[in-house]
Amino acid sequence: MNGHNLTTPGFLKHAHISVIYYYGLTISHVTHPASVSETKRHAGIPKRKCNKVMLPLREVNLSLRRLKVIPLDEINYTKIESLNLDRNKLKSVPELSRLQDLKILILSKNELSHFPEEIQLLKHLERLEVNQNKIQNIPNGLFSHIIRLKYLKLNNNRLTELPNDLSSCSNLLYLNLSHNLFSTFPQAVLSLKKLEEFYVENNKLQKLPSELFLDLSLKKFKASSNQLREPPDEVCIGGLKQICSYFFQLQESQAQEVRRVKTMFIGSSMAGKTTLCRSLSQACANPVPREERTVGIEISEFQIEDFTFLFWDFAGHLEYYITHHVFFTPHSLVILVVDLFRYQLNNDDSFKNLVGFWINNLLMRVPDSVVLIVATHIDQCLPEELQKKSKDIQERISRMLKQRKADLSHFINNLEDRQDSEMYMEQAERLREIFTCTLHVLEIIPINSTIYQDIESLQSSILSVVRNVDLFPNIVKMLPPVYKEVEKSITEIMHNHDLPKHGIMELDLLLREVMLKTQDGHLNKDLLKDILRYLHHIGLIVWYEDIQPLLSTVFLKPTFLITMFKMLIRHDLSDQIGRIPAEVLVSEKAFKRDVLKWQEMLRSKAMLRLQAIRVLIKHHLEVFSPCDAIDIFQDMVGYRQDGGKLFSLLEHFQVCFPVRNIRKLNPKASEFVPGGQWPFKKTLGDVFYLFPTYLNKVLEVTERWGGDHHEDLQIRVYFSPEIPEGLFQRLMVKSCSFYTTHWVEKSTFLLVSNGKPLLIRENNQKANSYIELCSRRPHKQSDFRPLWDFILAILSIVVKLYEEWPGLHTYIRTPCRTVGCPDEFEWPDMEGSCSVYDMIKEDFKTCETCCFTINTELLLPKAPSQIKDPPDMQNIHITNYGEASIISQVTSVE
């Protein structure tokens, strides 16, 4: 017991002993019985009865107590070794000076504006957490007194520098400086030779020192969302190994400047994006006929002075948008093209469709973007009309952005003003991060795309924008020469007549070709992978190393991959199926009558048979040479009863999911012998792929569900400003891929797990956008925990998806269970399903509107302290799918 004798007065034989491990730190401690349940709760140990004894405390948990001062009566034992003050309202902590045996101190999520100087007295301190406060600086001389420190969290403060004496903490293993205001790298970190984990995300750093990676023993590192030029963000995304490789290359050569700008053209269908894109890249007016409008995404690259521009032309039809967000990346120039002739003054729908929809999606997906609005078709507008429409668009966008800031401020104030605000600190912190993001919408540039002078003027405007360091602080990237050499070699390979038109190469073959061209003795497969990863992130090539079937495949021409997508994701897919020639049908053992079945299945069930997909793609591949077409067809589509690489991509991006139609058991199957291997025939049954984007409003789910009931459990995930286009469809794909018993329709799907149904539906209205989860109320107390686990599993998928939209805010609420009451109960922070169970202590909650008292288990996932079902009673109960029946029912818990 760390030198303490259990026979010492004040210790009794029933002391509770716990062990905590923190980065090599082990604490054995005796806890007061009052804190035993708290200790067990945080360790995930069920509560057990304990004799009431008075023991000195070694671990004290005072989190979530709304404390403004530390209560001395609760820390009167000076040998305390662990003190948790998380989520309180502390502004100072002078009481800490008496606890000089502390090894663990948690002060996170308080209101500290100054780093507590009392910490220098805690000479035994090994873990310190002061994250999510308001600390602006740390005085020099404090860290030299706590040299045993191993774990330090300073993230989410307002720090701009660190004191030099941090180097005294030579045993430090973990350091988190993320979400601060560092513009230069803190040099003291370079003296921490034992540092294993270091996080410096969301700062303003432009350069990382090579010593950090070549001299230290880092095992984990993150630096995303900075303004990095050396190494570029696209290198840092590759992880610690790639960063080390980057600096290793620079040991033998000097970094070269690269100025490349990814430029995304967005806007509604037929706005003139493709005309504008081609005219700029070809330096001449180049009108595009209507029949050549973009389907999916088109990519082109060209040079203007010392800048290389990579143009991404996105189709405007909503059917394509489900795949577009994947290619939206930060630090890009966004050109929003608006057809000024179609734009109507004083018309909210016109603004929403032509402008507002795109601004909203940029706010959610890339909230720090620079947006240049280009008004087209001005030759069809009168001069005074041109001026009025441009002014109207600019003013509406300005109001829209101001309203967005006002809404965020309102959300933040509401959370901070709550009596239980400590329960919502994670939500408030995310909102503050979103609030600091600024969407830079520049002044509208009206042009006539058919006049070359207007194209030249726009080109000059674009150059002026990207040269603005305030708008593009990291436009210049510093790269080792080998990066540029490999890129040049790949460009030459792409223009080689021997390369198939689709531009697909195996990784090993590409390595051999590049090595022959570069003559670089240091180039190997690992270095090539690093460079390919960088080229993938800037959008020059596509290489999905995280998709196992595609690990050895490199798409040198991203346009081909996008072409594969648009064969299946397009607004006129049914018409495309109807145009398939007879000879292509015959080659896949299909007939004209099959085409009618495929079209009907697509219209009614949003499903395509694998055979239909094969025929469709084979038809589109006729533009390639016969040899290339055969190779790419087999590689991407696979064989008749199995999907190829294309389907791995579609499933990876949650575009569709496979459905097998197994009508009967296999009569020829061998007998199952326990303990033996049972042969499985993968091709059993027809294979279909369901595409949620094509779903219609049918009644299958409604009929299966059987209608809502006032006793149902309802949970709503609200989205602000709205649910992103395609998110609900992706949620459907992810969920239905995981839970095999399901039914789907447009904006609604039903899952079943262990006999428990869960209905998920979308409501996407202005100022009322939410995804709702509904389940039948359990009739046994013991069924609550499994049901909430099911609900939390789906919520975790929602959270994972919405994290891809950095400017999106969500919050969870449960409607009051009183019929007709409009009030809702808000959920606290969800740091994980366990923390939700842990944080809810009350057994009952009272609605502020109707004053009705409700069992917490019906509103929030509260783990019952004692699961005990009451005696069975005969009652009317609504079964899983809404059918009334007489069954055993529990006593009402409301």
Side-chain angles (χ1 to χ4, degrees):
M1 292 291 294
N2 288 348
H4 294 280
N5 193 328
L6 290 181
T7 60
T8 302
F11 283 86
L12 299 178
K13 64 180 180 179
H14 296 297
H16 177 79
I17 302 176
S18 299
V19 179
I20 298 179
Y21 300 95
Y22 283 127
Y23 274 77
L25 165 64
T26 304
I27 297 181
S28 299
H29 57 93
V30 181
T31 55
H32 190 289
S35 67
V36 167
S37 60
E38 292 294 305
T39 303
K40 288 182 174 182
R41 180 171 62 82
H42 285 280
I45 304 173
K47 293 181 181 179
R48 295 192 306 179
K49 291 184 178 179
C50 179
N51 295 329
K52 186 174 183 180
V53 290
M54 298 301 295
L55 300 177
L57 300 175
R58 287 292 184 86
E59 177 189 0
V60 177
N61 186 347
L62 300 176
S63 64
L64 290 164
R65 294 273 295 269
R66 304 182 60 77
L67 298 174
K68 294 185 176 180
V69 295
I70 303 175
L72 295 178
D73 58 332
E74 300 204 41
I75 58 168
N76 54 11
Y77 180 60
T78 59
K79 299 297 182 181
I80 293 173
E81 295 183 352
S82 176
L83 177 60
N84 186 353
L85 292 163
D86 172 76
R87 293 181 187 251
N88 281 292
K89 295 185 175 297
L90 298 169
K91 295 184 178 180
S92 61
V93 284
E95 300 84 359
L96 290 180
S97 58
R98 61 192 290 150
L99 303 177
Q100 297 185 20
D101 277 10
L102 271 182
K103 294 184 177 181
I104 300 175
L105 175 60
I106 301 176
L107 287 167
S108 53
K109 302 166 189 172
N110 276 277
E111 297 179 5
L112 299 171
S113 57
H114 296 88
F115 194 83
E117 295 192 14
E118 294 81 6
I119 288 176
Q120 66 183 312
L121 302 175
L122 311 179
K123 300 182 184 299
H124 299 282
L125 198 64
E126 297 186 22
R127 181 184 182 103
L128 174 61
E129 300 181 21
V130 286
N131 53 295
Q132 287 181 249
N133 280 279
K134 303 173 184 178
I135 299 172
Q136 297 183 27
N137 60 77
I138 302 175
N140 202 28
L142 296 184
F143 284 116
S144 59
H145 296 279
I146 51 174
I147 59 176
R148 297 185 182 183
L149 200 63
K150 296 181 179 180
Y151 185 104
L152 177 59
K153 292 187 74 173
L154 295 169
N155 53 289
N156 296 88
N157 279 289
R158 300 170 185 174
L159 296 170
T160 57
E161 58 183 3
L162 290 179
N164 292 330
D165 70 320
L166 179 66
S167 58
S168 304
C169 302
S170 57
N171 294 312
L172 202 64
L173 300 172
Y174 176 102
L175 176 60
N176 195 333
L177 302 178
S178 297
H179 298 276
N180 276 285
L181 302 173
F182 290 96
S183 58
T184 57
F185 189 84
Q187 293 298 306
V189 175
L190 300 178
S191 301
L192 306 174
K193 300 301 182 182
K194 294 183 180 179
L195 193 64
E196 295 181 356
E197 293 190 38
F198 181 41
Y199 303 97
V200 67
E201 300 170 279
N202 284 90
N203 279 279
K204 298 180 179 180
L205 298 174
Q206 291 193 345
K207 183 178 180 180
L208 299 176
S210 60
E211 299 92 325
L212 180 65
F213 307 97
L214 300 179
D215 297 345
L216 303 188
S217 54
L218 286 179
K219 295 180 180 178
K220 293 183 179 179
F221 173 77
K222 291 182 180 179
S224 60
S225 300
N226 276 279
Q227 300 172 358
L228 289 172
R229 302 170 57 179
E230 187 176 352
D233 284 333
E234 294 85 357
V235 171
C236 293
I237 291 173
L240 191 57
K241 184 179 178 182
Q242 181 160 358
I243 299 173
C244 292
S245 172
Y246 170 92
F247 281 111
F248 179 79
Q249 298 301 319
L250 290 181
Q251 283 184 316
E252 300 183 0
S253 56
Q254 189 173 357
Q256 297 178 345
E257 288 188 355
V258 176
R259 291 176 170 83
R260 177 184 277 109
V261 187
K262 182 176 180 181
T263 307
M264 302 185 294
F265 289 79
I266 63 173
S268 60
S269 181
M270 303 304 295
K273 298 182 297 296
T274 304
T275 293
L276 198 59
C277 185
R278 293 184 186 179
S279 297
L280 283 168
S281 60
Q282 297 173 18
C284 65
N286 189 357
V288 176
R290 182 183 181 89
E291 59 272 14
E292 293 184 25
R293 69 174 183 168
T294 305
V295 178
I297 305 170
E298 291 184 1
I299 305 173
S300 58
E301 186 179 35
F302 75 104
Q303 194 83 15
I304 303 180
E305 295 185 9
D306 55 340
F307 283 88
T308 301
F309 287 86
L310 195 62
F311 280 2
W312 285 63
D313 177 16
F314 292 85
H317 210 284
L318 284 183
E319 274 81 357
Y320 308 125
Y321 199 79
I322 191 171
T323 58
H324 284 183
H325 77 277
V326 175
F327 305 103
F328 278 23
T329 53
H331 312 306
S332 301
L333 172 63
V334 180
I335 296 182
L336 173 56
V337 184
V338 180
D339 183 347
L340 211 62
F341 177 69
R342 285 165 52 197
Y343 184 81
Q344 299 176 23
L345 287 168
N346 304 316
N347 188 313
D348 292 341
D349 289 337
S350 180
F351 174 80
K352 178 183 177 182
N353 295 332
L354 301 182
V355 183
F357 169 82
W358 304 99
I359 295 293
N360 239 347
N361 278 280
L362 292 173
L363 281 169
M364 291 186 288
R365 183 67 181 179
V366 278
D368 267 334
S369 297
V370 178
V371 185
L372 182 62
I373 300 180
V374 178
T376 59
H377 299 92
I378 63 170
D379 52 311
Q380 302 176 42
C381 302
L382 298 174
E384 62 272 15
E385 187 182 21
L386 169 62
Q387 186 177 3
K388 287 182 180 179
K389 287 185 175 182
S390 297
K391 183 180 179 182
D392 186 62
I393 292 173
Q394 206 85 49
E395 289 178 349
R396 282 177 177 265
I397 291 176
S398 179
R399 289 198 300 268
M400 185 178 179
L401 296 179
K402 287 181 181 178
Q403 185 62 50
R404 171 70 168 157
K405 290 287 188 181
D407 291 343
L408 289 171
S409 180
H410 175 73
F411 283 129
I412 293 170
N413 292 335
N414 278 352
L415 292 178
E416 291 179 342
D417 292 343
R418 291 179 60 101
Q419 289 187 347
D420 54 350
S421 59
E422 65 276 3
M423 303 279 282
Y424 302 87
M425 286 187 168
E426 295 293 337
Q427 296 180 44
E429 190 64 38
R430 179 178 173 91
L431 282 167
R432 280 190 285 268
E433 289 174 15
I434 298 173
F435 189 85
T436 61
C437 296
T438 302
L439 190 71
H440 300 277
V441 181
L442 307 179
E443 192 171 340
I444 293 177
I445 299 179
I447 69 164
N448 183 343
S449 301
T450 63
I451 299 177
Y452 177 59
Q453 286 77 8
D454 282 13
I455 299 297
E456 274 190 320
S457 176
L458 177 60
Q459 195 176 87
S460 299
S461 298
I462 291 174
L463 272 174
S464 176
V465 169
V466 298
R467 290 188 191 279
N468 188 328
V469 179
D470 292 331
L471 295 176
F472 289 94
N474 58 345
I475 197 69
V476 178
K477 315 284 188 183
M478 305 303 294
L479 291 173
V482 66
Y483 276 63
K484 195 64 180 176
E485 292 173 18
V486 170
E487 180 185 334
K488 181 181 178 182
S489 299
I490 289 177
T491 302
E492 291 176 1
I493 293 172
M494 289 170 56
H495 292 94
N496 192 325
H497 295 297
D498 295 333
L499 181 72
K501 190 174 180 180
H502 50 70
I504 298 176
M505 286 190 74
E506 291 301 306
L507 185 61
D508 290 333
L509 176 59
L510 180 61
L511 174 63
R512 187 185 71 185
E513 293 291 325
V514 171
M515 290 181 70
L516 287 174
K517 289 181 177 294
T518 58
Q519 301 296 321
D520 191 314
H522 295 98
L523 185 63
N524 54 38
K525 192 170 185 176
D526 287 337
L527 179 54
L528 177 63
K529 286 182 177 180
D530 290 340
I531 299 173
L532 289 179
R533 194 177 296 116
Y534 164 76
L535 295 176
H536 169 81
H537 287 303
I538 67 173
L540 194 64
I541 59 109
V542 171
W543 177 49
Y544 293 112
E545 59 177 325
D546 52 345
I547 306 177
Q548 188 59 38
L550 296 173
L551 181 60
S552 61
T553 304
V554 182
F555 298 89
L556 299 183
K557 298 180 179 179
T559 48
F560 171 75
L561 183 59
I562 295 163
T563 299
M564 297 295 290
F565 273 111
K566 71 186 184 185
M567 290 179 188
L568 300 172
I569 307 298
R570 54 188 304 139
H571 66 286
D572 59 348
L573 182 59
S574 181
D575 294 337
Q576 289 292 318
I577 294 174
R579 298 191 187 108
I580 298 173
E583 56 271 19
V584 179
L585 291 171
V586 172
S587 70
E588 286 295 316
K589 299 181 180 179
F591 302 92
K592 283 290 185 181
R593 64 176 179 271
D594 293 317
V595 172
L596 298 176
K597 293 179 183 178
W598 299 338
Q599 290 175 316
E600 175 57 29
M601 180 165 286
L602 179 65
R603 283 192 292 265
S604 61
K605 296 187 176 181
M607 290 169 58
L608 277 178
R609 192 173 179 176
L610 178 58
Q611 183 187 29
I613 296 175
R614 289 174 58 85
V615 170
L616 189 62
I617 292 177
K618 181 176 284 190
H619 169 49
H620 281 286
L621 291 178
E622 287 182 334
V623 296
F624 297 107
S625 67
C627 183
D628 287 345
I630 292 172
D631 289 344
I632 193 61
F633 182 75
Q634 291 179 346
D635 197 31
M636 294 299 293
V637 185
Y639 299 96
R640 282 191 170 84
Q641 293 296 330
D642 191 16
K645 294 178 180 179
L646 173 64
F647 300 99
S648 298
L649 275 169
L650 292 172
E651 292 177 46
H652 177 79
F653 291 121
Q654 297 100 41
V655 174
C656 66
F657 61 94
V659 179
R660 288 192 178 272
N661 181 20
I662 303 177
R663 300 178 181 177
K664 57 185 178 181
L665 296 176
N666 181 9
K668 297 181 181 179
S670 58
E671 181 182 0
F672 173 70
V673 179
Q677 188 173 9
W678 196 27
F680 171 69
K681 189 176 181 182
K682 189 177 179 181
T683 58
L684 183 64
D686 296 330
V687 183
F688 298 85
Y689 286 87
L690 191 146
F691 294 79
T693 190
Y694 298 126
L695 281 170
N696 297 312
K697 182 67 176 178
V698 294
L699 299 178
E700 184 174 16
V701 172
T702 305
E703 292 171 356
R704 293 279 182 178
W705 173 244
D708 295 338
H709 190 271
H710 74 274
E711 288 200 345
D712 292 344
L713 274 66
Q714 293 181 319
I715 299 91
R716 293 174 180 172
V717 185
Y718 285 89
F719 290 77
S720 178
E722 62 187 30
I723 302 175
E725 190 71 32
L727 183 141
F728 185 79
Q729 287 77 13
R730 296 179 65 203
L731 171 64
M732 184 184 295
V733 171
K734 291 282 286 186
S735 303
C736 292
S737 298
F738 192 75
Y739 296 96
T740 54
T741 305
H742 56 254
W743 293 268
V744 299
E745 64 182 58
K746 190 175 182 64
S747 302
T748 310
F749 63 100
L750 178 66
L751 304 174
V752 177
S753 176
N754 296 321
K756 299 177 178 64
L758 183 64
L759 184 75
I760 300 99
R761 56 191 169 203
E762 177 186 40
N763 183 80
N764 205 359
Q765 300 175 351
K766 188 174 182 180
N768 195 33
S769 297
Y770 60 85
I771 292 175
E772 186 173 52
L773 285 69
C774 301
S775 63
R776 302 305 187 196
R777 168 180 169 171
H779 66 279
K780 289 185 178 180
Q781 184 71 22
S782 57
D783 286 339
F784 273 101
R785 181 63 181 259
L787 177 59
W788 280 116
D789 285 344
F790 184 18
I791 292 171
L792 287 172
I794 300 302
L795 288 178
S796 68
I797 298 176
V798 176
V799 170
K800 189 70 176 177
L801 290 174
Y802 104 81
E803 284 176 348
E804 297 179 12
W805 279 267
L808 182 64
H809 168 55
T810 66
Y811 51 97
I812 306 174
R813 293 180 176 178
T814 302
C816 177
R817 298 182 61 80
T818 304
V819 177
C821 180
D823 208 349
E824 295 177 319
F825 293 84
E826 296 187 26
W827 282 40
D829 293 339
M830 275 190 62
E831 296 178 345
S833 58
C834 292
S835 68
V836 176
Y837 286 117
D838 292 341
M839 291 178 71
I840 308 303
K841 298 182 176 68
E842 305 95 333
D843 290 325
F844 294 90
K845 286 187 173 291
T846 301
C847 175
E848 296 179 356
T849 300
C850 67
C851 300
F852 193 71
T853 301
I854 305 167
N855 187 310
T856 304
E857 201 79 63
L858 297 168
L859 306 171
L860 298 162
K862 180 182 183 299
S865 56
Q866 292 182 341
I867 299 178
K868 183 178 180 181
D869 295 320
D872 289 346
M873 296 178 61
Q874 292 294 321
N875 204 345
I876 298 291
H877 178 64
I878 304 299
T879 62
N880 284 347
Y881 295 120
E883 299 171 358
S885 60
I886 305 289
I887 66 168
S888 298
Q889 168 71 316
V890 300
T891 305
S892 175
V893 290
E894 291 188 347

